[in-house]
Amino acid sequence: MIERSPMTAETRPAPFKLTRTIVLVGLMGAGKTSVGKRLAGMLGVGFVDSDVEIEEAAGMTIPEIFASLGEPAFRDGERRVIGRLLAERPHVLATGGGSFVEPRTRAEIKSLGTSVWLRADVDLLFERVRDRPGRPLLQVDDPKAVLTDLNTRRAPFYAEADVTVDSRRGCSHETMARTIIEAIRAYDLAGGLARGSTFEETM
Ligand code: S3P
């Protein structure tokens, strides 16, 4: 269920309408959820976190799904949930860090959404995730080594996103959200999405 994000004076809708779902991809800690919420507020559209939807659909937390059903079952559920969300009205969708690596999920995102890789260096990602439990892949002796390895292996897939935006230390969610809008508009104008642009100008 996609709910419209609350709007504040500083998050008045932009002078254009979203016509495709913006899908945020990238590693754990990239800021997909926090920046995504701010972006949705600015655009006056709904925000959804695919991890939350998966937990609701399964009636279990993500660590419970990994522990009792295993990662392949999680990936399968993730693909189905993301496919369902992409069929709903345009919104901002934050995805789990592994989703865009799965070929079928990536293909669906690329065909129905506008994908944005929130890229950050591993030191910054690790600072953001190290004290936050709930990510089964990082429940290991050396989570930074795992994150480094995931970054190396996944970067070539993330690089297939339509747009890449760098997340830097000290950069506010608001600035990130504005940068994403500008990057997508530039991509649209350059004809990046031959199948249709992400925004429709309304002013
Ligand atoms: C995962 C990232 C998590 C969550 C799951 C697996 C991954 O989401 O989907 O723990 O494979 O990178 P976030 O990227 O939102 O932390």
Side-chain angles (χ1 to χ4, degrees), residues 26-28 32 51 62 66 74-75 78 95-98 134-137 154:
L27 269 186
M28 297 172 267
K32 292 163 293 184
D51 285 342
I62 287 177
F66 269 72
F74 171 77
R75 295 297 169 205
E78 182 176 54
T95 60
R135 289 175 165 117
L137 295 180
R154 290 178 173 178

mmCIF file of all heavy atoms in Angstrom, residues 26-28 32 51 62 66 74-75 78 95-98 134-137 154, ligand 1:
data_model
loop_
_atom_site.group_PDB
_atom_site.id
_atom_site.type_symbol
_atom_site.label_atom_id
_atom_site.label_comp_id
_atom_site.label_asym_id
_atom_site.label_seq_id
_atom_site.Cartn_x
_atom_site.Cartn_y
_atom_site.Cartn_z
ATOM 1 N N GLY A 26 21.672 0.238 -4.193
ATOM 2 C CA GLY A 26 23.000 0.475 -3.619
ATOM 3 C C GLY A 26 23.160 -0.308 -2.328
ATOM 4 O O GLY A 26 22.202 -0.885 -1.805
ATOM 5 N N LEU A 27 24.375 -0.290 -1.832
ATOM 6 C CA LEU A 27 24.695 -1.113 -0.662
ATOM 7 C C LEU A 27 23.998 -0.647 0.618
ATOM 8 O O LEU A 27 23.546 0.501 0.707
ATOM 9 C CB LEU A 27 26.201 -1.061 -0.401
ATOM 10 C CG LEU A 27 27.092 -2.118 -1.060
ATOM 11 C CD1 LEU A 27 28.512 -1.953 -0.523
ATOM 12 C CD2 LEU A 27 26.611 -3.536 -0.814
ATOM 13 N N MET A 28 23.970 -1.542 1.579
ATOM 14 C CA MET A 28 23.464 -1.214 2.917
ATOM 15 C C MET A 28 24.201 0.029 3.434
ATOM 16 O O MET A 28 25.423 0.105 3.328
ATOM 17 C CB MET A 28 23.757 -2.383 3.874
ATOM 18 C CG MET A 28 23.057 -3.664 3.478
ATOM 19 S SD MET A 28 23.595 -5.101 4.462
ATOM 20 C CE MET A 28 24.910 -5.781 3.444
ATOM 21 N N LYS A 32 19.369 4.803 1.211
ATOM 22 C CA LYS A 32 18.206 4.638 0.328
ATOM 23 C C LYS A 32 16.901 4.995 1.046
ATOM 24 O O LYS A 32 16.031 5.656 0.477
ATOM 25 C CB LYS A 32 18.148 3.184 -0.175
ATOM 26 C CG LYS A 32 19.284 2.817 -1.130
ATOM 27 C CD LYS A 32 19.428 1.304 -1.261
ATOM 28 C CE LYS A 32 19.893 0.699 0.033
ATOM 29 N NZ LYS A 32 20.159 -0.714 0.017
ATOM 30 N N ASP A 51 12.153 -3.732 1.869
ATOM 31 C CA ASP A 51 12.407 -4.630 3.017
ATOM 32 C C ASP A 51 11.200 -4.667 3.952
ATOM 33 O O ASP A 51 10.839 -5.721 4.467
ATOM 34 C CB ASP A 51 13.633 -4.154 3.811
ATOM 35 C CG ASP A 51 14.950 -4.467 3.108
ATOM 36 O OD1 ASP A 51 14.959 -5.324 2.198
ATOM 37 O OD2 ASP A 51 15.971 -3.864 3.482
ATOM 38 N N ILE A 62 13.417 -9.621 8.578
ATOM 39 C CA ILE A 62 14.404 -10.104 7.607
ATOM 40 C C ILE A 62 15.387 -11.105 8.244
ATOM 41 O O ILE A 62 15.631 -12.158 7.662
ATOM 42 C CB ILE A 62 15.088 -8.913 6.903
ATOM 43 C CG1 ILE A 62 14.046 -8.342 5.951
ATOM 44 C CG2 ILE A 62 16.337 -9.340 6.141
ATOM 45 C CD1 ILE A 62 14.403 -7.146 5.200
ATOM 46 N N PHE A 66 15.891 -14.932 6.751
ATOM 47 C CA PHE A 66 17.192 -15.515 6.403
ATOM 48 C C PHE A 66 17.434 -16.779 7.217
ATOM 49 O O PHE A 66 17.902 -17.789 6.694
ATOM 50 C CB PHE A 66 18.333 -14.512 6.667
ATOM 51 C CG PHE A 66 18.684 -13.644 5.481
ATOM 52 C CD1 PHE A 66 17.824 -12.631 5.075
ATOM 53 C CD2 PHE A 66 19.867 -13.818 4.775
ATOM 54 C CE1 PHE A 66 18.146 -11.805 3.986
ATOM 55 C CE2 PHE A 66 20.197 -13.014 3.689
ATOM 56 C CZ PHE A 66 19.337 -12.001 3.291
ATOM 57 N N PHE A 74 14.478 -15.580 0.415
ATOM 58 C CA PHE A 74 14.347 -14.132 0.602
ATOM 59 C C PHE A 74 14.422 -13.425 -0.756
ATOM 60 O O PHE A 74 13.615 -12.534 -1.068
ATOM 61 C CB PHE A 74 15.447 -13.612 1.536
ATOM 62 C CG PHE A 74 15.520 -12.110 1.598
ATOM 63 C CD1 PHE A 74 14.599 -11.384 2.334
ATOM 64 C CD2 PHE A 74 16.501 -11.413 0.898
ATOM 65 C CE1 PHE A 74 14.639 -9.988 2.371
ATOM 66 C CE2 PHE A 74 16.564 -10.029 0.925
ATOM 67 C CZ PHE A 74 15.623 -9.318 1.669
ATOM 68 N N ARG A 75 15.397 -13.813 -1.590
ATOM 69 C CA ARG A 75 15.572 -13.156 -2.906
ATOM 70 C C ARG A 75 14.342 -13.358 -3.785
ATOM 71 O O ARG A 75 13.948 -12.464 -4.541
ATOM 72 C CB ARG A 75 16.810 -13.709 -3.626
ATOM 73 C CG ARG A 75 18.125 -13.409 -2.933
ATOM 74 C CD ARG A 75 18.426 -11.932 -2.860
ATOM 75 N NE ARG A 75 19.552 -11.673 -1.971
ATOM 76 C CZ ARG A 75 19.743 -10.520 -1.337
ATOM 77 N NH1 ARG A 75 18.893 -9.527 -1.486
ATOM 78 N NH2 ARG A 75 20.777 -10.360 -0.552
ATOM 79 N N GLU A 78 11.679 -11.131 -2.474
ATOM 80 C CA GLU A 78 12.067 -9.746 -2.783
ATOM 81 C C GLU A 78 11.710 -9.417 -4.233
ATOM 82 O O GLU A 78 11.144 -8.361 -4.531
ATOM 83 C CB GLU A 78 13.582 -9.632 -2.557
ATOM 84 C CG GLU A 78 14.173 -8.276 -2.763
ATOM 85 C CD GLU A 78 15.663 -8.262 -2.421
ATOM 86 O OE1 GLU A 78 16.433 -9.088 -2.972
ATOM 87 O OE2 GLU A 78 16.065 -7.423 -1.597
ATOM 88 N N THR A 95 15.152 -0.043 -2.238
ATOM 89 C CA THR A 95 15.265 -1.505 -2.312
ATOM 90 C C THR A 95 16.392 -2.013 -1.420
ATOM 91 O O THR A 95 17.347 -1.291 -1.133
ATOM 92 C CB THR A 95 15.564 -1.954 -3.763
ATOM 93 O OG1 THR A 95 16.797 -1.349 -4.179
ATOM 94 C CG2 THR A 95 14.446 -1.550 -4.699
ATOM 95 N N GLY A 96 16.302 -3.278 -1.021
ATOM 96 C CA GLY A 96 17.373 -3.913 -0.261
ATOM 97 C C GLY A 96 18.625 -3.995 -1.131
ATOM 98 O O GLY A 96 18.532 -4.111 -2.360
ATOM 99 N N GLY A 97 19.791 -3.950 -0.480
ATOM 100 C CA GLY A 97 21.061 -3.850 -1.202
ATOM 101 C C GLY A 97 21.363 -4.960 -2.194
ATOM 102 O O GLY A 97 22.145 -4.767 -3.122
ATOM 103 N N GLY A 98 20.745 -6.126 -2.016
ATOM 104 C CA GLY A 98 21.068 -7.240 -2.921
ATOM 105 C C GLY A 98 20.113 -7.371 -4.093
ATOM 106 O O GLY A 98 20.357 -8.147 -5.024
ATOM 107 N N GLY A 134 20.116 -6.118 12.547
ATOM 108 C CA GLY A 134 18.991 -6.336 11.628
ATOM 109 C C GLY A 134 19.418 -6.643 10.209
ATOM 110 O O GLY A 134 18.581 -6.832 9.348
ATOM 111 N N ARG A 135 20.760 -6.661 9.981
ATOM 112 C CA ARG A 135 21.208 -7.007 8.631
ATOM 113 C C ARG A 135 21.970 -8.326 8.725
ATOM 114 O O ARG A 135 23.154 -8.352 9.095
ATOM 115 C CB ARG A 135 22.080 -5.895 8.068
ATOM 116 C CG ARG A 135 21.245 -4.645 7.734
ATOM 117 C CD ARG A 135 22.116 -3.520 7.294
ATOM 118 N NE ARG A 135 21.384 -2.455 6.657
ATOM 119 C CZ ARG A 135 21.311 -1.206 7.135
ATOM 120 N NH1 ARG A 135 21.880 -0.884 8.275
ATOM 121 N NH2 ARG A 135 20.651 -0.288 6.469
ATOM 122 N N PRO A 136 21.297 -9.424 8.368
ATOM 123 C CA PRO A 136 21.903 -10.742 8.594
ATOM 124 C C PRO A 136 23.247 -10.928 7.910
ATOM 125 O O PRO A 136 24.127 -11.620 8.460
ATOM 126 C CB PRO A 136 20.868 -11.735 8.043
ATOM 127 C CG PRO A 136 19.772 -10.933 7.446
ATOM 128 C CD PRO A 136 19.928 -9.514 7.841
ATOM 129 N N LEU A 137 23.452 -10.318 6.747
ATOM 130 C CA LEU A 137 24.720 -10.534 6.048
ATOM 131 C C LEU A 137 25.905 -9.936 6.814
ATOM 132 O O LEU A 137 27.055 -10.311 6.585
ATOM 133 C CB LEU A 137 24.674 -9.918 4.641
ATOM 134 C CG LEU A 137 23.667 -10.541 3.664
ATOM 135 C CD1 LEU A 137 23.731 -9.837 2.318
ATOM 136 C CD2 LEU A 137 23.945 -12.026 3.486
ATOM 137 N N ARG A 154 29.367 -6.206 -6.152
ATOM 138 C CA ARG A 154 28.092 -5.655 -6.626
ATOM 139 C C ARG A 154 28.218 -4.385 -7.466
ATOM 140 O O ARG A 154 27.308 -4.066 -8.238
ATOM 141 C CB ARG A 154 27.198 -5.354 -5.419
ATOM 142 C CG ARG A 154 26.715 -6.622 -4.742
ATOM 143 C CD ARG A 154 25.885 -6.283 -3.524
ATOM 144 N NE ARG A 154 25.262 -7.441 -2.930
ATOM 145 C CZ ARG A 154 24.515 -7.403 -1.828
ATOM 146 N NH1 ARG A 154 24.329 -6.240 -1.215
ATOM 147 N NH2 ARG A 154 23.972 -8.496 -1.351
HETATM 148 C C1 S3P B 1 20.687 -6.868 2.036
HETATM 149 C C2 S3P B 1 20.367 -5.585 2.372
HETATM 150 C C3 S3P B 1 19.284 -5.253 3.321
HETATM 151 C C4 S3P B 1 18.239 -6.373 3.342
HETATM 152 C C5 S3P B 1 18.893 -7.704 3.598
HETATM 153 C C6 S3P B 1 19.948 -8.055 2.537
HETATM 154 C C7 S3P B 1 21.792 -7.088 1.047
HETATM 155 O O1 S3P B 1 18.645 -4.043 2.941
HETATM 156 O O2 S3P B 1 17.528 -6.427 2.134
HETATM 157 O O3 S3P B 1 19.467 -7.661 4.877
HETATM 158 O O4 S3P B 1 21.859 -8.181 0.457
HETATM 159 O O5 S3P B 1 22.593 -6.154 0.847
HETATM 160 P P1 S3P B 1 19.345 -2.577 3.070
HETATM 161 O O6 S3P B 1 20.226 -2.400 1.864
HETATM 162 O O7 S3P B 1 18.181 -1.654 3.042
HETATM 163 O O8 S3P B 1 20.083 -2.569 4.347
#
